[in-house]
Amino acid sequence: VRQVAARKNGRLIQDLDVLPYPARHLLKISAYARLPHESIKTPVVDMLISRGCPYRCTFCLLNVVGGKRRRVRSPKKAIEEMKLVRDQYGAKQIHFGDLIFTLDREWVMEFSKLLQQENTGLIWSCQSRVDRVDPEMLREMKKAGCVSILYGLESFNQRCLDLMKKDLTVERTRQGIRETKESGIEVRCSMILGSPGETPEIAMKNVQELIDLDVDFCQFHTMVAFPGT
């Protein structure tokens, strides 16, 4: 519904601050079970702050549905909604469903510093890429209440990553995981089984790599060829 609302006369709306907040009162939020990587302190309420993605991962619909140009709500507007769901729905944690929450470093830094000033009492989790974080940003996110980040890793095999057009190196993956753990934020990962070029041996090496890096949680998805991906 929110994605449809982000279009006007067939064109993508660029200023997301003009969109209304989701009509959460129409849903019984407590009836929806949480995925393990999303819930640390309940109740958890979902939020989205952006649309679109500039990356070209072959398995993803994000840039097909939302466009290749990322549009994002202002930090002030995002924090306003966080306080709203805290007050109206008793939220103790916000889970940001944006796949690359930290794409815009300047936005994340402003958001984190404003959120520290607000002292909302909320914790929050998000999703991103391991090559779109750095130690300073992670420290500010931690101080602002970020407790976990889900990274779409997909594989630790460089050929598989290249075939998926992930635009990511294995070493940068390891570095991002280490930096996140050092900041005190939990590392939760998403992997793909059956990607082009993968063998059972590669899959088992991926599992061992996750064990060696001591990630906090990992989920596995099977590769499915959906139209448009």
Side-chain angles (χ1 to χ4, degrees), residues 8-172:
K8 185 176 183 180
N9 298 325
R11 296 187 177 183
L12 293 171
I13 293 175
Q14 301 305 313
D15 181 9
L16 299 188
D17 280 1
V18 305
L19 296 176
Y21 294 137
R24 293 187 175 90
H25 64 281
L26 299 177
L27 298 174
K28 185 179 179 182
I29 296 177
S30 61
Y32 293 86
R34 307 300 311 190
L35 293 171
H37 72 272
E38 296 174 353
S39 179
I40 292 177
K41 186 184 289 187
T42 56
V44 185
V45 175
D46 292 287
M47 277 182 56
L48 284 175
I49 52 92
S50 67
R51 304 286 191 284
C53 177
Y55 286 95
R56 56 183 188 143
C57 305
T58 60
F59 55 84
C60 187
L61 271 175
L62 191 60
N63 60 17
V64 177
V65 175
K68 294 184 181 298
R69 183 178 181 274
R70 186 176 187 255
R71 293 147 294 132
V72 64
R73 294 161 62 196
S74 66
K76 182 178 178 181
K77 196 73 172 176
I79 293 171
E80 185 179 290
E81 185 177 353
M82 292 175 73
K83 292 191 291 186
L84 179 72
V85 297
R86 177 199 62 189
D87 297 341
Q88 291 190 357
Y89 301 98
K92 290 184 170 54
Q93 176 186 339
I94 303 296
H95 177 69
F96 290 99
D98 312 81
L99 295 186
I100 315 181
F101 184 84
T102 62
L103 184 65
D104 184 338
R105 186 181 192 279
E106 184 178 343
W107 188 97
V108 175
M109 294 297 282
E110 181 182 353
F111 170 80
S112 297
K113 289 176 180 178
L114 284 174
L115 194 53
Q116 291 172 47
Q117 295 171 13
E118 289 287 340
N119 192 27
T120 62
L122 292 164
I123 63 171
W124 52 281
S125 51
C126 63
Q127 306 176 108
S128 196
R129 287 174 57 105
V130 281
D131 59 344
R132 302 300 303 209
V133 296
D134 61 72
E136 182 186 11
M137 180 198 297
L138 291 165
R139 285 194 296 270
E140 290 300 321
M141 291 170 66
K142 173 67 175 178
K143 287 190 286 186
C146 180
V147 291
S148 78
I149 303 176
L150 174 75
Y151 291 120
L153 304 184
E154 327 316 346
S155 178
F156 285 94
N157 181 276
Q158 192 60 55
R159 181 169 179 270
C160 290
L161 290 174
D162 293 343
L163 288 171
M164 286 186 276
K165 297 183 179 179
K166 184 73 178 179
D167 295 335
L168 180 68
T169 66
V170 173
E171 185 47 49
R172 186 64 185 88

